[in-house]
Amino acid sequence: KDPDGVLGGEYPEDQVGVMGFSKGGFAAAIAMALEPRIPAAWLDSAPFHRLRGSIESTVAMYAGPFVASILSPAVFWSAQYFSENKVDNYDPIKLLSQQCPKQRALMISQSSLDNVVPIYESQDATTILSGMPNCYDVHTYTPPEYCNGATHHQEMWEFPDNTQSELCLFWSSAFKQDEALCQLKSQPRFQIWSPEADLPPGSPGLI
């Protein structure tokens, strides 16, 4: 409704989407599931497996999967205890799979090299939700992000031109708008590296 006029006036419901990065992507997924009027969402590097999954993957990163299988339940129990059971109350994939008010656009974006949130979490979400074509029009964007050693939602820094194009294509399609309104051809170009060919020095797998 924009009661304070900060967005230039009221927008139709079918022209307002949600977008989130990392934990914000997790929150945006839940918001889309709980609010059927949201027509589209861009979920970037979201920890779909919730806090428990984040604990397991973090411990495994430093101590290996065997130690993680032993320590993670205790760490998660501690989080539940001290939060008074206020963690992991919502499962975004489960919630989204149970909601189908109409077909809605969904972008699942994550670095294929992400070492903070395992890529299989986005792959699980993609597999489940793309199997519901009457409910979700699922798109994916998974560039090999590696920016000065960081691999978690770095696409806007490492591949700004590609990301700008993906944003334009997705939201134009979701809102049924002409892609020409993005004026991509007149925008300055900033990108140095290419996800298809040239990657920065130090990128994993780079020979």
Side-chain angles (χ1 to χ4, degrees):
K1 298 297 183 180
D2 192 26
D4 298 323
V6 296
L7 299 176
E10 182 176 347
Y11 276 76
E13 291 177 355
D14 62 359
Q15 299 292 295
V16 180
V18 294
M19 184 174 184
F21 299 83
S22 194
K23 187 167 67 175
F26 175 83
I30 294 172
M32 187 184 202
L34 298 179
E35 177 47 80
R37 293 175 296 177
I38 294 175
W42 181 299
L43 311 177
D44 193 307
S45 311
F48 287 102
H49 289 186
R50 306 182 289 170
L51 178 63
R52 182 159 197 159
S54 296
I55 291 172
E56 290 174 355
S57 61
T58 301
V59 175
M61 184 190 311
Y62 294 101
F66 176 73
V67 174
S69 67
I70 298 173
L71 292 182
S72 297
V75 176
F76 182 69
W77 178 88
S78 177
Q80 285 186 306
Y81 178 80
F82 287 105
S83 69
E84 297 180 351
N85 292 314
K86 294 178 181 177
V87 296
D88 280 7
N89 291 327
Y90 294 101
D91 182 335
I93 297 179
K94 183 178 180 179
L95 284 173
L96 286 168
S97 66
Q98 293 173 341
Q99 304 299 322
C100 191
K102 57 185 176 182
Q103 188 191 57
R104 298 188 286 175
L106 187 61
M107 170 62 84
I108 298 177
S109 172
Q110 185 174 6
S111 167
S112 58
L113 304 176
D114 198 330
N115 62 6
V116 176
V117 175
I119 186 66
Y120 60 73
E121 298 198 22
S122 286
Q123 291 170 338
D124 287 349
T126 300
T127 298
I128 293 171
L129 300 176
S130 63
M132 304 172 63
N134 293 329
C135 305
Y136 300 103
D137 178 19
V138 179
H139 304 250
T140 59
Y141 178 44
T142 57
E145 303 161 35
Y146 183 84
C147 185
N148 294 321
T151 60
H152 187 56
H153 65 83
Q154 299 293 310
E155 71 276 15
M156 68 290 287
W157 317 121
E158 187 174 359
F159 306 119
D161 299 346
N162 289 120
T163 301
Q164 185 181 57
S165 178
E166 291 289 339
L167 286 163
C168 174
L169 293 173
F170 174 73
W171 290 112
S172 295
S173 174
F175 294 153
K176 298 178 173 58
Q177 297 290 324
D178 188 345
E179 295 170 10
L181 294 173
C182 300
Q183 299 182 355
L184 290 179
K185 292 183 179 180
S186 64
Q187 300 297 323
R189 317 308 289 177
F190 298 104
Q191 190 163 312
I192 298 174
W193 312 105
S194 168
E196 294 82 14
D198 300 321
L199 291 173
S203 293
L206 189 66
I207 299 176

